Amino acid sequence: MMKICILDDDIYVVRILKKIINDCNLGTVVSYSTDGTEGYQNILQTEPELVLIDILMPGKDGLSIVKELKKTNSTIEFVMISQVASKDMVGKAYQYGVEYYIHKPINALEVENIILKVQERIKVNRTMEKIQSLFLDNQSNFSVEQQNNSAKEIKDILIKLGVMGEKGSKEIIDICNYVLEHNIDLMNVTLKELFKNFTDNPKSMEQRIRRTISVAMSNIANLGIEDFMNEIFIEYSSTLFHFEQVKKKMDYIRNKSSEDGSISVKKFLTGLTVFCENKDK
């Protein structure tokens, strides 16, 4: 069961959240507090995987808590809970590492959906870490049926990202299938080594793929600007991209920063193969 901590200055809200979590079997509430300073210490002591936290807390405000804890423990997931509608505050929350947001008054269905998304995100990230940490020497029995299923899964994701028509999209599908078929650990090969299996000009292939992934990031960033809670944005902004780079892209698009977000080809390809692995299970 996922360990959850709740910080909110309203004990009534705390009780509602505890009831939703218990009734929906979403995890175990290991601590709660109505004071920010006390809540900060509770988090350090109980080491939760998820913290539901109000922006405006007495003693120590929610944004400060998130900012400090993300520096020392980047694996903790945070969900901001507040009736404050300030875009600046919401923007800061995302800047500090918050990737999910729930508005008051509390809606049970929204709380359940968000926590389930967090659980899925944690599961995907852990799977990616395992894949990246293992060096797989033996080829797998990757059947034609599995290959077709993987190609369809990747195609569906690329369609959601709005890049299926890009030149590099077919190459991305072919590479992911090759990686899955040969159990390749992407952390142990260079892109040049990988692309040489498909072309005599790996540099051109990488450029096409980079352009395609860059377009995908721009599309994701625009979705996030329009709606932080967009399902596609939530599902792919941190599994196929580094989320801090997506945030930079969002600020760049809104002319809030001159620094553009950057993409990682390996992160993107690894994320796609993980989605296929999970689909096959």
Side-chain angles (χ1 to χ4, degrees), residues 165-189:
E166 297 293 321
K167 288 185 178 180
S169 60
K170 184 182 183 303
E171 291 169 318
I172 288 173
I173 294 172
D174 291 341
I175 288 167
C176 287
N177 268 333
Y178 183 84
V179 168
L180 290 166
E181 180 181 357
H182 296 276
N183 281 334
I184 294 173
D185 181 357
L186 288 171
M187 301 310 295
N188 288 305
V189 296

Side-chain angles (χ1 to χ4, degrees), residues 53-91:
I53 185 169
D54 192 0
I55 288 181
L56 303 176
M57 292 286 295
K60 195 176 185 71
D61 68 88
L63 289 178
S64 297
I65 292 173
V66 173
K67 185 178 181 181
E68 291 181 25
L69 288 174
K70 274 294 186 181
K71 289 180 180 178
T72 57
N73 191 340
S74 59
T75 62
I76 299 178
E77 296 287 345
F78 289 91
V79 173
M80 275 290 180
I81 301 174
S82 180
Q83 59 189 9
V84 177
S86 167
K87 289 186 177 180
D88 289 338
M89 276 193 162
V90 173

Side-chain angles (χ1 to χ4, degrees), residues 215-231:
V215 173
M217 177 185 269
S218 294
N219 292 343
I220 277 287
N222 278 298
L223 286 176
I225 291 171
E226 292 174 9
D227 180 10
F228 282 126
M229 302 311 299
N230 180 281
E231 290 187 3

Side-chain angles (χ1 to χ4, degrees), residues 29-208:
V29 178
V30 293
S31 67
Y32 65 89
S33 179
T34 56
D35 176 81
T37 303
E38 179 186 75
Y40 180 82
Q41 293 302 320
N42 286 343
I43 294 172
L44 295 178
Q45 292 171 8
T46 58
E47 299 182 343
E49 297 163 272
L50 169 64
V51 177
L52 307 180
I53 185 169
D54 192 0
I55 288 181
L56 303 176
M57 292 286 295
K60 195 176 185 71
D61 68 88
L63 289 178
S64 297
I65 292 173
V66 173
K67 185 178 181 181
E68 291 181 25
L69 288 174
K70 274 294 186 181
K71 289 180 180 178
T72 57
N73 191 340
S74 59
T75 62
I76 299 178
E77 296 287 345
F78 289 91
V79 173
M80 275 290 180
I81 301 174
S82 180
Q83 59 189 9
V84 177
S86 167
K87 289 186 177 180
D88 289 338
M89 276 193 162
V90 173
K92 280 187 177 180
Y94 276 95
Q95 182 183 347
Y96 293 158
V98 176
E99 300 184 16
Y100 304 95
Y101 203 95
I102 294 174
H103 293 87
K104 292 180 181 178
I106 301 300
N107 179 288
L109 183 59
E110 182 182 25
V111 172
E112 181 182 8
N113 287 338
I114 291 298
I115 292 180
L116 289 175
K117 288 181 184 297
V118 173
Q119 290 176 341
E120 181 60 26
R121 169 177 155 75
I122 291 173
K123 180 181 176 182
V124 169
N125 285 343
R126 285 177 178 172
T127 303
M128 289 178 66
E129 289 173 2
K130 288 180 181 179
I131 290 176
Q132 291 171 355
S133 65
L134 296 175
F135 182 77
L136 303 174
D137 298 314
N138 300 320
Q139 292 187 352
S140 65
N141 296 319
F142 198 66
S143 67
V144 173
E145 183 181 359
Q146 287 174 307
Q147 193 173 49
N148 291 336
N149 289 340
S150 296
K152 183 180 184 304
E153 177 69 14
I154 296 167
K155 182 178 178 181
D156 288 344
I157 294 174
L158 295 180
I159 289 173
K160 291 178 183 178
L161 296 175
V163 293
M164 193 54 217
E166 297 293 321
K167 288 185 178 180
S169 60
K170 184 182 183 303
E171 291 169 318
I172 288 173
I173 294 172
D174 291 341
I175 288 167
C176 287
N177 268 333
Y178 183 84
V179 168
L180 290 166
E181 180 181 357
H182 296 276
N183 281 334
I184 294 173
D185 181 357
L186 288 171
M187 301 310 295
N188 288 305
V189 296
T190 66
L191 293 177
K192 184 177 180 180
E193 290 170 340
L194 181 62
F195 296 161
K196 273 185 175 179
N197 294 291
F198 299 88
T199 178
D200 293 329
N201 192 350
K203 188 173 181 179
S204 295
M205 185 179 196
E206 181 178 351
Q207 289 174 344
R208 289 191 296 273

